[in-house]
């Protein structure tokens, strides 16, 4: 039996029909007539020497040969499509798609984007605000900005921004917090988006470093840090604010840092892209701009900085 492949059009017709289990829907997807699609599948079956579909009255189902062939073809066509998109992006010096978490986008990136647009009007910048893991090729993303400890070794990575973390509250709430002990009665705003960090940077760790024992577990919970910060600005309670995300609210007086203890962390915001892509003109320009903006982050930390996870005597 020859290993020579059948025509690509026949393989494409079969893959679509196997995915839909319908000749009519596959023909519609490929913009051909059902008769033309049926002809391509019969050509593939003749090439293979056995049927790939069992024709029923108003439906089709895969034969054993069809079930063996379909998954590999779907993966192959997906890989071809990803390679084509990647090749097109290499030649595109205008479009730049960036993914970052919703909180970082809302509190740090968005207020600064007009500066990048002014400096680089030739770049068409697009954002995907999500914490979901994205595939650079499949999702057509050029750059990811993520918060954490280590970056995948398969990617180009550069640390762009570090953080310290401290209790922050609206002025009227902060006025009641004159000592560490006052935190026991405060309404604490909890953030679930940092729960993956170890050592942690949550209320339990801040209370431990402050010598207060276990932290209260009551209080509103938020899936995104920007929502917790906005709640603190509204006077709902005290947020354990990250310097990168809360700097503008502190600088403009909407939040106050009432106590002198802050945590530091080895977690950083990192710039990630496929290795080699960092030299593409629009990606290099964005990285240079990000680095310059991060260097201007001048929010002064509280007097006491203690690393999360430290032993306390």
């Amino acid at each position: 039996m020859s290993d020579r492949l059948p025509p690509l059009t026949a393989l494409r017709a079969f893959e679509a029909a196997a995915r839909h289990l319908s000749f009519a829907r596959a023909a519609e997807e490929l913009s051909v007539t059902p008769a033309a699609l049926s002809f391509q599948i019969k050509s593939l079956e003749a090439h293979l020497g056995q049927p790939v579909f069992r024709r029923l009255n108003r439906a089709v189902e895969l034969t054993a040969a069809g079930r063996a062939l379909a998954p590999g073809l779907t993966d192959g066509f997906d890989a071809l499509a990803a390679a084509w998109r990647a090749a097109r992006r290499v030649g595109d010096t205008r479009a730049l798609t960036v993914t970052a978490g919703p909180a970082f986008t809302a509190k740090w990136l968005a207020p600064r984007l007009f500066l990048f647009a002014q400096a680089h009007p030739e770049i068409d910048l697009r954002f995907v605000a999500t914490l979901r893991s994205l595939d650079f090729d499949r999702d057509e993303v050029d750059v990811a900005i993520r918060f954490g400890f280590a970056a995948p070794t398969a990617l180009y990575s550069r640390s762009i921004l570090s953080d310290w973390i401290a209790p922050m509250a609206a002025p009227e709430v902060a006025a009641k917090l004159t000592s560490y002990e006052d935190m026991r009665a405060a309404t604490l705003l909890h953030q679930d988006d940092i729960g993956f960090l170890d050592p942690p940077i949550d209320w339990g760790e801040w209370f431990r470093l402050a010598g207060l024992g276990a932290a209260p577990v009551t209080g509103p919970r938020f899936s995104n840090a920007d929502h917790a910060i906005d709640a603190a600005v509204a006077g709902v309670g005290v947020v354990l604010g990250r310097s990168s995300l809360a700097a503008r609210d502190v600088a403009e007086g909407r939040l106050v840092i009432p106590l002198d203890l802050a945590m530091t962390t080895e977690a950083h915001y990192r710039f990630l892209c496929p290795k080699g892509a960092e030299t593409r003109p629009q990606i290099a320009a964005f990285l240079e701009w990000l680095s310059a903006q991060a260097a201007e982050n001048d929010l002064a930390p509280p007097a006491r900085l203690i690393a999360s996870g430290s032993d306390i005597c």
Side-chain angles (χ1 to χ4, degrees), residues 225-299:
D226 55 324
H227 297 166
I229 291 172
D230 290 343
V233 169
V236 175
V238 187
V239 68
L240 198 51
R242 304 210 306 258
S243 58
S244 59
L245 303 183
R248 187 176 293 267
D249 289 306
V250 173
E252 296 177 2
R254 291 183 291 273
L255 288 178
V256 174
I257 304 172
L259 301 171
D260 66 352
L261 173 62
M263 296 184 290
T264 60
T265 176
E266 291 299 315
H268 293 76
Y269 280 100
R270 297 178 185 276
F271 175 101
L272 304 171
C273 68
K275 285 184 178 179
E278 71 275 9
T279 61
R280 289 172 53 196
Q282 68 271 49
I283 294 180
F286 186 64
L287 176 55
E288 181 181 6
W289 175 80
L290 273 178
S291 300
Q293 290 295 309
E296 296 177 4
N297 188 33
D298 56 359
L299 180 62

Side-chain angles (χ1 to χ4, degrees), residues 56-136:
L56 308 176
N57 286 338
R58 294 188 177 182
V60 294
E61 64 181 23
L62 290 167
T63 64
R67 290 194 299 272
L69 180 60
L73 279 185
T74 297
D75 291 345
F77 280 114
D78 286 346
L80 283 172
W84 180 253
R85 290 193 299 267
R88 290 185 63 185
R89 289 206 308 275
V90 168
D92 185 354
T93 59
R94 287 187 55 84
L96 177 63
T97 301
V98 177
T99 177
F104 188 75
T105 299
K107 292 296 186 179
W108 198 92
L109 272 177
R112 295 170 166 82
L113 281 183
F114 76 96
L115 297 173
F116 183 80
Q118 286 179 337
H120 297 281
E122 78 283 2
I123 296 177
D124 180 14
L125 187 61
R126 304 164 190 170
F127 268 94
V128 181
T130 181
L131 291 173
R132 181 171 60 88
S133 295
L134 299 181
D135 182 276
F136 284 98

Side-chain angles (χ1 to χ4, degrees), residues 1-7 10 41-50:
M1 181 182 295
S2 173
D3 287 334
R4 183 173 58 87
L5 292 174
I41 291 174
K42 287 179 180 178
S43 171
L44 181 143
E45 289 177 325
H47 195 99
L48 184 63
Q50 57 184 309

